[in-house]
Amino acid sequence: MAGNDEFEVLFHRYERNPILTREMWPYPCNSVLNPGAIRLADGTTLLLCRVEDFRGHSHLTVARSADGRGGWEIDREPSFAPDLEQFPEELWGVEDPRISYIPELEKYSVVYVAYSRGGPAVSLALTEDFRHYERLGLVLPPENKDAALLPRRFDGLWMLIHRPVMPGLGQHIWISSSKDLIHWGHHHLILEARYGGWWDADKIGLSPPMIETPEGWIMIYHGVRVTASGRIYRLGLALFDLEDPTKALLRGDSWVFGPSATYEREGDVPNVVFPCGYTIDDDGDTLNIYYGVADTAIAMAHASITDILHWLKRHGRPVEHTPVSGWETRPLT
Ligand code: BMA
C-alpha cells in the first residue's frame, strides 16, 4: 500500500483555478459546479455546467473554450432545464451530467440526475448540438445517481454505470445493460465502497465517464468518508477489462486526488472535488478533468494517462468479486 512517502502527484491543478465561478455567469445564480465535458470535432471544449439557482434547484448551461482553460463563452440561456410537464421526476432540478460521444448514433449521450420527490434518479438524453435534446426519460428509479454510458455496445448491448443506494448495505458502483438504452437489466455490482477507516468507506460513485485505453477502461471514482466535521470527497482509480467492463481488474488503495486548495476546502459544501467530465488533448495522453469545488465553482486539473496506468500497475490490487447474494456473509475489508 502507498504510504505518505510514496504519495505521487498524478493530477496537477491548473494554476488559474477556479476556471468558472458564479461571478462570471451572465445571469444571477448561487453556484456553478460538476460539469460534464466533451471536446467537439473542431477542438472546442464544451462544458455542460450544473447551475444552482436561488431555490436550490439546478439546470445545465453550456460554456465553451478554444483551449479548455480560459476565454470561456457562457450561454445566456440554460441549455437543458427541467421539463416538469413531460418529466415530472425533474421536480427539484437536473444535476451532474456525464457526457459520452456515441459514434454509432453520431450523437452525444447526456446521463444526468433527475432530482425527484423520491430522491435522485438517473435520466438519459441524446443530443447532436447541446441545443436540442431527445429525452429518453427516467431510466433508473430513485435512489440512484453517478451514471454514465459507455460509448459502444458490448455483444450488442449498451452498458450503463450507476450507483444505486442499498439501504443498510451501502452505496456501491453497478453496471447494467440494455438493447435500446431505455430498458436496463443484467445488473452487476462492480466496485464496492470499503469499510471502517478507509478513505472510501462510506460511499463511492463513478466520477467522469470511463476512459478507454488499450489496457482497459480507467475509472476515476469518488470516495466519501464521513468525519466529525462533515464529508470529504476524494478520487481513486480502478481499471476494468476492455472487452468486459463488468470485470474490475485493479484498484488502488490510496486516493489520488483530494481537496487541499482553499477553493476546494471552502464553499457551500466544504472539502469536495467532484469531476463529471474529462477531455483528452491532441497528444492522446493529457487528460483534463473538470471538477466542481466545494459545490461552489469549477476547476480543472490534468494528468498523464500513461502515468495513471503505471500507477495502477504499481499500486493496484486485484479486485475480489462478491456476488450480491453473498453480501450477508462477506468478510469486512
Ligand atoms: C454528491 C452529489 C454532488 C455533490 C456532492 C457534494 O452526493 O450530490 O452533486 O457535489 O454530493 O455535495
Side-chain angles (χ1 to χ4, degrees):
M1 185 165 71
N4 247 350
D5 50 344
E6 290 173 53
F7 193 90
E8 285 172 39
V9 178
L10 281 179
F11 288 88
H12 305 272
R13 289 175 178 77
Y14 179 50
E15 60 274 16
R16 299 177 73 182
N17 275 346
I19 53 168
L20 287 163
T21 66
R22 71 176 198 159
E23 287 76 22
M24 298 161 72
W25 233 248
Y27 55 90
C29 59
N30 175 59
S31 52
V32 295
L33 64 160
N34 306 1
I38 201 85
R39 254 185 116 199
L40 303 177
D42 68 358
T44 304
T45 296
L46 180 145
L47 299 187
L48 192 56
C49 305
R50 173 177 161 196
V51 181
E52 193 191 79
D53 66 23
F54 296 110
R55 301 172 302 165
H57 303 183
S58 295
H59 58 264
L60 310 176
T61 294
V62 166
R64 291 183 175 77
S65 158
D67 65 3
R69 288 159 174 70
W72 293 96
E73 286 177 20
I74 305 165
D75 284 0
R76 310 194 74 80
E77 302 281 333
S79 169
F80 193 89
D83 174 352
L84 298 189
E85 237 164 68
Q86 295 202 57
F87 301 93
E89 66 273 11
E90 297 174 1
L91 177 67
W92 291 324
V94 291
E95 304 184 349
D96 301 356
R98 271 80 171 188
I99 304 171
S100 312
Y101 181 67
I102 315 294
E104 181 187 327
L105 305 177
E106 297 183 2
K107 288 177 184 164
Y108 301 95
S109 66
V110 180
V111 183
Y112 61 98
V113 170
Y115 195 171
S116 72
R117 202 179 283 280
V122 176
S123 288
L124 199 159
L126 300 171
T127 186
E128 287 175 48
D129 55 11
F130 295 92
R131 282 192 183 86
H132 309 98
Y133 293 85
E134 180 191 338
R135 290 161 109 113
L136 305 189
L138 194 71
V139 292
L140 293 172
E143 196 176 325
N144 203 326
K145 55 163 55 175
D146 301 326
L149 196 62
L150 284 156
R152 56 182 163 88
R153 298 182 199 239
F154 298 81
D155 288 332
L157 297 173
W158 299 107
M159 301 211 104
L160 184 73
I161 295 175
H162 57 101
R163 205 285 306 281
V165 174
M166 295 197 283
L169 283 176
Q171 306 185 30
H172 314 283
I173 301 178
W174 291 64
I175 198 165
S176 304
S177 54
S178 170
K179 284 183 184 157
D180 60 6
L181 292 175
I182 294 173
H183 305 91
W184 294 88
H186 293 133
H187 312 291
H188 293 281
L189 193 160
I190 53 170
L191 204 72
E192 296 172 20
R194 284 180 269 214
Y195 271 82
W198 284 94
W199 68 273
D200 53 359
D202 290 295
K203 55 178 171 176
I204 61 171
L206 178 74
S207 266
M210 299 248 262
I211 301 151
E212 187 167 11
T213 77
E215 313 207 23
W217 297 92
I218 295 173
M219 176 188 281
I220 302 177
Y221 70 94
H222 55 269
V224 180
R225 180 161 187 194
V226 179
T227 74
S229 60
R231 297 190 167 107
I232 308 178
Y233 278 73
R234 302 187 179 102
L235 304 179
L237 296 173
L239 188 69
F240 286 78
D241 190 280
L242 193 57
E243 292 314 321
D244 179 6
T246 65
K247 207 168 142 205
L249 303 173
L250 293 170
R251 177 186 194 171
D253 276 343
S254 59
W255 70 80
V256 291
F257 193 71
S260 67
T262 312
Y263 52 82
E264 297 160 349
R265 290 214 176 268
E266 293 175 6
D268 276 3
V269 185
N271 295 316
V272 175
V273 292
F274 202 92
C276 290
Y278 69 85
T279 61
I280 297 173
D281 284 353
D282 287 337
D283 62 10
D285 188 54
T286 305
L287 176 80
N288 307 304
I289 56 166
Y290 293 90
Y291 62 106
V293 289
D295 282 10
T296 296
I298 294 172
M300 181 203 149
H302 67 90
S304 148
I305 293 176
T306 311
D307 290 353
I308 289 176
L309 289 170
H310 283 157
W311 186 95
L312 273 163
K313 279 186 215 147
R314 278 202 314 279
H315 301 299
R317 284 193 290 142
V319 178
E320 281 174 42
H321 289 274
T322 313
V324 181
S325 57
W327 255 71
E328 300 75 10
T329 53
R330 71 191 298 286
L332 298 186
T333 49

